[in-house]
Structures are given as C-alpha cells and as structure tokens.
Amino acid sequence: AVRAGKGLRSVMMERIGQDIVVTLTVPSDLFSLLPSPLQNGGLINVYPLLFQQGINEFQSIAIMQRSELCKMQNLINRQSLGDLVVYKNLLHQFKSQLGYTDEDINAHEHGIQILKESVDDEAKNPFAKHVDILASAACCVRMMKGGRGTNCKSAKDRTSMSVTLEQA
C-alpha cells in the first residue's frame, strides 16, 4: 500500500505484517488537499501486476530452443490478467464515486477482451513473440487510471525497445 506523509524523507518503506507500506512525502499545500482519512495515515491499496514478454534476441533464442520459460511467461500473464479483471470489477462497483461513465466501463471491458485474446494467443503458441500483450496491458492499465512501468534487467536496451514500441 501507499501512504501520503509529511517530513524530511521523500520515501520511506516499512513492513506491517505481510504487507509493505511505502510512504511518499508530499508538499504541505498538496497534503492539505488530501481527504482527511489519507491525512491521518490511511492507506491507498496498490494492485501490482506483471505482464511479461521478451522482445529482444534472448527471447528469440528461448523460442528457438523451445524453452519452458516461454510457457512460464504465459502463466505469469494469465495470472496477471485474472488479477486485472478482479481490479476492473472493483472499479466498476464504485464507478459513480470514481466518476466512470458507461462509456468508460465499455472501454474497460473491450480493453480486457483484447488483452485476453492476446494472452490466449500466447497460450496457443508459446514459442512466438507476442508483443501485443505489452501494448494491450499498457492500454488497459492507463484506461483504469493505473500507474505502470516498463523495465528489464539492465534498464537499457530492452526497456528502450519496449518504450519505443509503446510510443509507436
């Protein structure tokens, strides 16, 4: 979860039971605009998901070798898709409080369907690159007003490849 805080440290992490809470310091003028539950230490739940798809030559090698890692990607993507559907359903329960219109709800459903088709295609042919999963997942998360990131081990070539793909 995330908590808004005031103080000298810009980011603080602590473990509370099985959970990790990240406290982000916000300027006083912004802090005063937050709802009172957040000003009093209330938590903002975070729903982390991982959609994975290799896009460089190492993925090509894994595909040529029929690596089990290709199948593992689909298991990860399938689990994250299920979690994203649960999150979407939560959003839809509170659609009026969140300001979502029926058009927004239809867009969410359509985006999830496109992502599901991409993940299903990956399951049928795990030994191919399915970069549309990355684009579909990014689109869904953005539509649901979520934050997202792109990363790789070195944060260089593969990250830039993925960001370039998304920008295109």
Side-chain angles (χ1 to χ4, degrees), residues 87-95 104-105 108-109:
Y87 180 71
K88 174 206 50 119
N89 291 337
L90 276 172
L91 288 181
H92 292 184
Q93 285 178 13
F94 300 98
K95 67 180 182 180
D104 294 327
I105 300 302
H108 296 170
E109 297 291 350

Side-chain angles (χ1 to χ4, degrees), residues 7 20 38 77 114:
I20 294 176
L38 293 181
N77 292 337
I114 290 170

Side-chain angles (χ1 to χ4, degrees), residues 84 107-108 111-112 114-115 132-146 148 166:
L84 186 60
H108 296 170
I112 292 283
I114 290 170
L115 179 57
D132 51 324
I133 289 173
L134 298 175
S136 298
C139 185
C140 284
V141 169
R142 220 177 278 109
M143 279 193 299
M144 293 182 213
K145 300 179 183 166
R148 56 165 304 282
E166 184 174 339

Side-chain angles (χ1 to χ4, degrees), residues 19-30:
D19 299 327
I20 294 176
V21 176
V22 177
T23 301
L24 303 174
T25 302
V26 295
S28 296
D29 55 334
L30 179 60

Side-chain angles (χ1 to χ4, degrees), residues 4-147:
K6 293 190 284 188
L8 298 176
R9 295 173 126 181
S10 58
V11 177
M12 185 178 79
M13 290 177 55
E14 62 186 302
R15 185 177 282 277
I16 300 176
Q18 294 292 319
D19 299 327
I20 294 176
V21 176
V22 177
T23 301
L24 303 174
T25 302
V26 295
S28 296
D29 55 334
L30 179 60
F31 189 83
S32 66
L33 297 174
L34 294 173
S36 57
L38 293 181
Q39 289 184 24
N40 294 324
L43 300 177
I44 301 167
N45 290 331
V46 176
Y47 295 86
L49 303 173
L50 171 67
F51 286 96
Q52 182 174 341
Q53 177 56 62
I55 57 177
N56 70 348
E57 69 278 4
F58 292 112
Q59 181 69 25
S60 298
I61 292 169
I63 289 168
M64 285 187 284
Q65 293 179 342
R66 300 280 201 221
S67 171
E68 288 297 310
L69 294 175
C70 296
K71 293 178 182 176
M72 179 65 75
Q73 281 184 161
N74 185 250
L75 292 174
I76 292 167
N77 292 337
R78 202 164 276 296
Q79 177 66 49
S80 291
L81 174 63
D83 292 345
L84 186 60
V85 168
V86 169
Y87 180 71
K88 174 206 50 119
N89 291 337
L90 276 172
L91 288 181
H92 292 184
Q93 285 178 13
F94 300 98
K95 67 180 182 180
S96 59
Q97 295 97 315
L98 296 170
Y100 286 121
T101 65
D102 288 338
E103 188 176 293
D104 294 327
I105 300 302
N106 290 337
H108 296 170
E109 297 291 350
H110 182 69
I112 292 283
Q113 184 58 39
I114 290 170
L115 179 57
K116 181 184 181 313
E117 289 169 8
S118 296
V119 172
D120 288 346
D121 285 346
E122 180 188 38
K124 292 174 193 165
N125 183 9
F127 303 112
K129 290 184 186 179
H130 298 274
V131 295
D132 51 324
I133 289 173
L134 298 175
S136 298
C139 185
C140 284
V141 169
R142 220 177 278 109
M143 279 193 299
M144 293 182 213
K145 300 179 183 166

